[in-house]
Amino acid sequence: MLMTDGNGVPISGFTISAQVAEVNTIETLVDIQVAGQKPERLLYDKAADADWVRDTLQLRGIEQITPHRKGRKKPSRQDGRRLRRYASRWKVERTISWLGYQRRLLVRHEYYPHLFEGFFHLACVMICLNRF
């Protein structure tokens, strides 16, 4: 899980096992960010299309911009104007590809999860240093 700012610099990130649904960890991602400010908007993919996540983030003052899934039964909760911001999600994907430059993260060489997470955070620090 990775959260970046508008320029693609990582501000929050952690690793989870593959069995945990991403939608259940979005609140943790927002809580453990390095910058002390809360984000105004959170762009996320269709995996976070859940009304309870939208309500929770709205109580915190964060606007969630997520396209709805195809088979959504409930009416839409956001209009197309806000979804235009979703086009800038490529910056997050670019940061993920920057993490892929690190061989230890691209192919999982580490047996222990705490070592893998340590290399993940080290790669995030290297990205931050390269951007400034």
Side-chain angles (χ1 to χ4, degrees):
M1 300 282 299
L2 182 69
M3 182 166 59
T4 66
D5 65 356
N7 297 320
V9 177
I11 56 174
S12 176
F14 64 94
T15 59
I16 55 173
S17 67
Q19 291 84 13
V20 178
E22 291 180 12
V23 72
N24 296 331
T25 58
I26 291 175
E27 294 176 34
T28 307
L29 187 68
V30 172
D31 288 339
I32 65 168
Q33 65 178 335
V34 177
Q37 303 171 357
K38 66 178 179 181
E40 294 177 24
R41 290 171 215 89
L42 181 71
L43 285 102
Y44 210 84
D45 56 1
K46 291 182 182 182
D49 182 27
D51 290 337
W52 65 270
V53 175
R54 290 181 196 276
D55 295 337
T56 304
L57 291 175
Q58 190 174 15
L59 287 175
R60 292 179 175 208
I62 301 171
E63 176 188 5
Q64 181 184 2
I65 301 173
T66 303
H68 292 302
R69 294 183 180 179
K70 277 187 176 179
R72 184 176 170 91
K73 306 282 189 230
K74 297 178 182 177
S76 177
R77 292 191 56 183
Q78 63 188 8
D79 59 352
R81 292 175 295 170
R82 291 192 177 120
L83 274 177
R84 282 187 240 149
R85 293 185 186 271
Y86 191 74
S88 64
R89 185 167 154 67
W90 65 271
K91 295 176 184 177
V92 178
E93 301 296 334
R94 179 186 63 185
T95 305
I96 292 171
S97 71
W98 287 341
L99 288 173
Y101 289 146
Q102 312 301 323
R103 184 173 155 236
R104 287 185 171 262
L105 298 178
L106 187 61
V107 178
R108 178 96 185 244
H109 289 287
E110 302 301 326
Y111 179 76
Y112 297 107
H114 63 278
L115 290 178
F116 181 78
E117 187 161 357
F119 282 116
F120 170 74
H121 289 296
L122 182 63
C124 288
V125 167
M126 290 174 59
I127 290 172
C128 290
L129 291 176
N130 286 336
R131 296 296 294 168
F132 293 110

